[in-house]
Amino acid sequence: MDNENKVLYYLVVEARPREFMPIDINILEGTNNFYNSLELIDMFTKKYSYEEIMKMVLENNLLPINFLNGSLCIINNKNYRFQLLTKDNNMSLDDFFFNNINDKQIMNKFYNIFLKYVKDDEIIIELKKYLIEKNIVGILEILYSLNYEKIRSIYLYLEKINVKTEKRVLKND
């Protein structure tokens, strides 16, 4: 892939819509790494809560005054925005499927979101077979074979489902 088409990602603070201030993770972490991929930025941000990251940014004076009340997110050079993953996003995919494999409604939601991101008919047929068999290992193997951006998108959706399910269970107790 040549440099013109390479997708680069940035941790940023957004003050107003489409007004971004990039944050140098190296200053926050005291390293000299290249945090230009979504996966590497996630590896950094998942160590901290949203508040801890903002506190580090403020303590290191990385923001001009007009950005102090902004919000953290990740963008890329193709003008896409991504939700920030923090240590608060701690759902395990293994646990999600173990706890929900028998819930047809939740598995149907998973299947539908999977179809949104995966267009390969062979993979879809294989996933459907694993869902019918309730084969968690097979489902996870398929998920972990996807590229990082796809599995991240599916994970965020499943996390929303999981939170709603937990709230529903708590209400019924």
Side-chain angles (χ1 to χ4, degrees):
M1 182 182 283
D2 60 2
N3 286 338
E4 289 178 14
N5 295 326
K6 186 171 182 176
V7 179
L8 300 174
Y9 295 84
Y10 308 95
L11 177 64
V12 297
V13 173
E14 184 176 26
R16 287 179 286 287
R18 304 189 61 73
E19 186 178 343
F20 303 106
M21 172 61 96
I23 302 300
D24 187 351
I25 295 173
N26 290 312
I27 292 172
L28 301 180
E29 196 170 59
T31 63
N32 255 347
N33 297 322
F34 291 107
Y35 289 96
N36 59 0
S37 76
L38 186 58
E39 190 169 6
L40 290 175
I41 293 172
D42 283 346
M43 285 173 53
F44 169 76
T45 60
K46 286 194 73 135
K47 296 180 205 171
Y48 307 99
S49 69
Y50 184 92
E51 291 77 21
E52 289 170 334
I53 297 170
M54 279 304 283
K55 184 179 177 188
M56 287 190 300
V57 168
L58 295 173
E59 286 173 350
N60 286 286
N61 295 318
L62 297 179
L63 293 177
I65 292 172
N66 57 329
F67 279 84
L68 291 179
N69 292 322
S71 60
L72 284 166
C73 66
I74 299 170
I75 61 170
N76 67 18
N77 57 338
K78 304 289 185 194
N79 296 321
Y80 291 109
R81 180 188 330 251
F82 300 86
Q83 179 180 333
L84 190 73
L85 292 179
T86 64
K87 71 179 179 184
D88 300 323
N89 303 96
N90 60 4
M91 181 189 76
S92 158
L93 286 176
D94 299 20
D95 290 343
F96 175 84
F97 286 103
F98 181 74
N99 293 331
N100 296 300
I101 195 71
N102 293 315
D103 188 324
K104 288 182 181 182
Q105 185 179 13
I106 290 176
M107 289 299 105
N108 191 40
K109 287 180 181 180
F110 160 69
Y111 181 70
N112 288 333
I113 197 67
F114 185 87
L115 293 178
K116 178 179 176 182
Y117 294 103
V118 178
K119 303 299 180 199
D120 184 317
D121 289 338
E122 289 179 26
I123 294 174
I124 292 169
I125 290 168
E126 191 174 4
L127 177 71
K128 195 171 189 176
K129 180 183 91 169
Y130 290 147
L131 285 170
I132 290 168
E133 295 172 353
K134 299 181 181 181
N135 181 342
I136 296 171
V137 173
I139 295 167
L140 291 171
E141 283 178 4
I142 289 175
L143 281 175
Y144 292 132
S145 72
L146 301 176
N147 75 36
Y148 183 75
E149 199 171 308
K150 286 181 183 178
I151 194 170
R152 183 185 197 274
S153 298
I154 292 169
Y155 170 85
L156 288 169
Y157 183 81
L158 294 178
E159 191 173 56
K160 287 178 189 171
I161 293 173
N162 201 44
V163 168
K164 287 179 184 176
T165 305
E166 287 175 359
K167 286 180 181 176
R168 190 176 68 218
V169 168
L170 291 174
K171 280 184 178 179
N172 293 335
D173 284 347

